[in-house]
Amino acid sequence: MHQTFDVALGVNILDANQKGADHNRAHFDEWGITCLNVMSSPGAGKTALLERTLATLTTDYKIAVIEGDMTTELDAERLRKYGVPVIAINTGRSCHLDSKMVAGGIHRFEMDYNPSEFDLVFVENVGNLVCPAEFEVGEHAKVALLSVTEGEDKPLKYPIMFQEADCLLITKIDLAPYVDADIDRIIANVRQMNSRVTILPVSAKTGEGFERWFDWIKTRCKRSEN
């Protein structure tokens, strides 16, 4: 866990971040946008999830992405192929996005587009199973990913991410037979950390489980189809 108080500055870091997150959320609320913060360890499939999501939902919703990565715009370029605005934020040595970084992305978004025309903003956070869960960015819901290749014990070893999640996607389930992963055990371990979280096993490769993911997004979207 991060040190939450900077003695030299006399600042509660998480409290200052929370105020920024509340400010960001107020902007999204004003524009009628739903913001989803997508988090996971590196390689769990966040970008692949968003690729399949954009390929389907852009017919019904106007979507933008704030893409966080320590270096490069490789993931941002993958998502731009779907014709949506993608604002890339390089965090350098920082292992997560914070509300100030996302505020900068929102400002760029507001300069180039009319935000009130958009329905959804996905924030793809930096790949890290700990830090992103501690720093809100203005999201309306937190989405965590856990791939079957990471091991069944991760919810117990890294509890904060799973305690904070509103939706947990168990990804790469097409690989479960090859890595001897027990999805039921993963679910049971997640439930120990968070009894209320929605759990959706999915495969970005085959598309299995994605209809339930799309339905979950629609229940969260402020401007869902009537």
Side-chain angles (χ1 to χ4, degrees):
M1 180 175 292
H2 280 74
Q3 182 177 339
T4 59
F5 190 82
D6 189 309
V7 176
L9 297 177
V11 174
N12 185 317
I13 297 170
L14 289 182
D15 182 61
N17 182 80
Q18 186 62 54
K19 290 177 181 176
D22 293 342
H23 184 74
N24 292 345
R25 190 179 300 107
H27 278 301
F28 289 132
D29 288 342
E30 178 186 354
W31 297 324
I33 289 174
T34 299
C35 178
L36 303 179
N37 186 4
V38 182
M39 306 175 290
S40 77
S41 59
K46 295 186 298 299
T47 309
L49 175 85
L50 291 179
E51 285 180 310
R52 187 173 276 271
T53 301
L54 294 175
T56 299
L57 292 190
T58 49
T59 59
D60 297 320
Y61 298 99
K62 195 160 184 180
I63 303 173
V65 179
I66 296 175
E67 175 65 43
D69 220 332
M70 295 182 74
T71 61
T72 81
E73 293 193 16
L74 294 174
D75 291 344
E77 290 300 328
R78 285 171 60 180
L79 298 179
R80 286 181 181 127
K81 296 175 182 177
Y82 294 87
V84 302
V86 180
I87 298 158
I89 299 174
N90 288 141
T91 64
R93 296 173 65 91
S94 181
C95 59
H96 61 277
L97 289 170
D98 61 25
S99 61
K100 186 175 181 180
M101 296 177 195
V102 171
I106 291 172
H107 181 63
R108 288 164 53 191
F109 175 54
E110 190 176 11
M111 287 178 61
D112 295 338
Y113 302 93
N114 180 358
S116 63
E117 295 180 352
F118 285 77
D119 306 302
L120 283 167
V121 168
F122 289 102
V123 175
E124 182 175 354
N125 221 306
V126 178
N128 187 308
L129 207 52
V130 180
C131 307
E134 295 188 79
F135 287 80
E136 287 200 15
V137 297
E139 70 272 21
H140 295 98
K142 293 180 173 68
V143 178
L145 279 64
L146 176 68
S147 74
V148 298
T149 60
E150 294 177 76
E152 299 153 0
D153 59 353
K154 291 301 179 292
L156 307 178
K157 295 175 68 175
Y158 302 92
I160 296 175
M161 177 70 71
F162 302 95
Q163 290 167 350
E164 293 293 323
D166 297 290
C167 182
L168 184 280
L169 296 165
I170 301 174
T171 61
K172 306 185 183 183
I173 58 173
D174 53 292
L175 297 178
Y178 307 103
V179 296
D180 198 27
D182 186 335
I183 294 176
D184 289 336
R185 181 168 294 180
I186 294 174
I187 292 173
N189 288 341
V190 172
R191 289 287 180 218
Q192 287 188 56
M193 299 297 102
N194 186 341
S195 61
R196 62 174 175 75
V197 64
T198 299
I199 301 176
L200 305 174
V202 300
S203 167
K205 182 176 181 178
T206 68
E208 183 177 353
F210 267 76
E211 285 304 318
R212 291 185 63 202
W213 162 237
F214 298 152
D215 287 343
W216 184 87
I217 292 174
K218 291 172 184 178
T219 65
R220 290 282 178 165
C221 187
K222 295 178 184 294
R223 288 197 284 253
S224 293
E225 295 173 285
N226 295 320

